């Protein structure tokens, strides 16, 4: 992972946004969003092999593969929610950022309900 390149891109984008904010604030937000999308694209290239490895592990588990998909989906929702919240904050919409992050937390809870139910069934079997 080329962390230094990503960090340099983020620093350069932050400096550009600060400079643009003085003269053209509307371009500063656009530049920040573009830099964020570029960083996410770079990170996606590193995430794909890891996800493929987890998918291979899930395939080897058979019926238990559903238990691996829940954390992966939750992780994706968290990343997207955090990114969207940061974009809203950069645009000066702090309240909207909070709503996006709340929605992502609720989505994670909804996705986890079947997993929680399965765990509760296992606990019931162990207790009885």
């Amino acid at each position: 992972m080329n962390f230094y390149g990503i960090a340099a891109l983020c620093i350069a984008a932050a400096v550009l946004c600060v400079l643009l904010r003085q003269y053209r604030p509307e371009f500063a937000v656009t530049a920040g969003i573009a830099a964020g999308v570029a960083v996410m694209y770079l990170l996606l290239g590193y995430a794909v092999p890891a996800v493929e490895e987890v998918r291979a592990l899930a395939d080897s588990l058979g019926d238990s593969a559903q238990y691996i998909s829940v954390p992966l989906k939750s992780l994706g929702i968290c990343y997207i929610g955090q990114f969207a919240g940061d974009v809203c904050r950069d645009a000066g919409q702090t309240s909207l950022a909070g709503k996006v992050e709340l929605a992502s937390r609720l989505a994670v809870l909804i996705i986890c309900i079947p997993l929680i139910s399965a765990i509760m069934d296992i606990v019931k079997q162990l207790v009885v």
Side-chain angles (χ1 to χ4, degrees):
M1 180 172 189
N2 187 5
F3 173 74
Y4 299 115
I6 292 171
L9 173 66
C10 289
I11 291 170
V15 170
L16 177 66
C17 288
V18 168
L19 293 174
L20 283 174
R21 191 166 286 130
Q22 294 175 2
Y23 304 106
R24 300 295 295 254
E26 64 276 7
F27 290 152
V29 172
T30 305
I33 292 171
V37 169
V39 168
M40 292 297 283
Y41 180 76
L42 291 172
L43 291 175
L44 195 62
Y46 294 112
V48 168
V51 170
E52 288 175 359
E53 186 69 28
V54 171
R55 186 171 306 193
L57 176 66
D59 289 342
S60 70
L61 292 175
D63 292 337
S64 300
Q66 66 180 351
Y67 301 124
I68 294 205
S69 69
V70 171
L72 287 178
K73 289 177 185 177
S74 299
L75 187 63
I77 289 170
C78 289
Y79 283 147
I80 292 170
Q82 181 70 44
F83 180 73
D86 289 343
V87 168
C88 291
R89 246 182 242 98
D90 288 345
Q93 299 296 320
T94 307
S95 176
L96 192 58
K99 304 302 184 285
V100 167
E101 291 171 352
L102 179 64
S104 67
R105 290 180 191 120
L106 183 61
V108 168
L109 177 65
I110 291 170
I111 284 177
C112 290
I113 289 174
L115 184 60
I116 293 169
S117 176
I119 291 171
M120 295 306 288
D121 289 341
I122 292 170
V123 169
K124 285 179 190 175
Q125 291 174 359
L126 291 174
V127 171
V128 174

